[in-house]
Amino acid sequence: MSSTRLCALDDIENTESAGMEAEIDGRPHPLILVRRGETVYAYINSCPHIGAPLDFKPGWFLTLDKSMINCANHGAHFRIEDGLCVAGPCVGKSLKPVPVIVKDGGVFLA
Ligand code: FES
């Protein structure tokens, strides 16, 4: 069985983020992808505060220092590694993770 290929790893610059859509369980979902070296973290692009997409500008999800995922709506900050909100109006809640793997230079739904 082949898994869904989302993009090439190099389509996401190291330490940067990207947005895309992928079909999960038969429905399209907007995704947040963040690259850290050979690792990619993925979440559903829906803020646990009010369910809005996090990015005002498509694909821009990170704080200026690139250390956190930022929600552009009300400034919530989420840890890249596990999606936990550590600042803003939804502290303690988390982005919904999407399991992905990197192999053969591509990023795939796991
Ligand atoms: S919608 Fe994300 S902080 Fe309000």
Side-chain angles (χ1 to χ4, degrees):
M1 183 179 137
S2 65
S3 48
T4 300
R5 187 179 189 274
L6 297 173
C7 63
L9 178 61
D10 287 341
D11 288 343
I12 312 169
E13 232 177 278
N14 192 17
T15 76
E16 296 291 348
S17 63
M20 62 188 59
E21 216 169 77
E23 193 165 304
I24 301 171
D25 296 332
R27 287 179 35 225
H29 290 277
L31 301 184
I32 301 165
L33 301 180
V34 181
R35 179 178 173 184
R36 286 289 181 269
E38 301 299 302
T39 302
V40 172
Y41 301 93
Y43 300 96
I44 300 291
N45 184 9
S46 176
C47 184
H49 181 212
I50 57 169
L54 282 75
D55 53 332
F56 279 153
K57 185 173 174 185
W60 284 50
F61 293 103
L62 301 179
T63 53
L64 285 178
D65 68 0
K66 302 181 194 298
S67 67
M68 300 275 216
I69 296 170
N70 177 60
C71 180
N73 297 293
H74 311 105
H77 287 179
F78 303 86
R79 294 195 305 219
I80 290 169
E81 294 74 15
D82 61 7
L84 178 69
C85 180
V86 295
C90 45
V91 168
K93 295 185 176 172
S94 295
L95 296 169
K96 187 170 190 296
V98 176
V100 297
I101 56 170
V102 175
K103 66 176 181 189
D104 303 329
V107 182
F108 297 81
L109 291 177

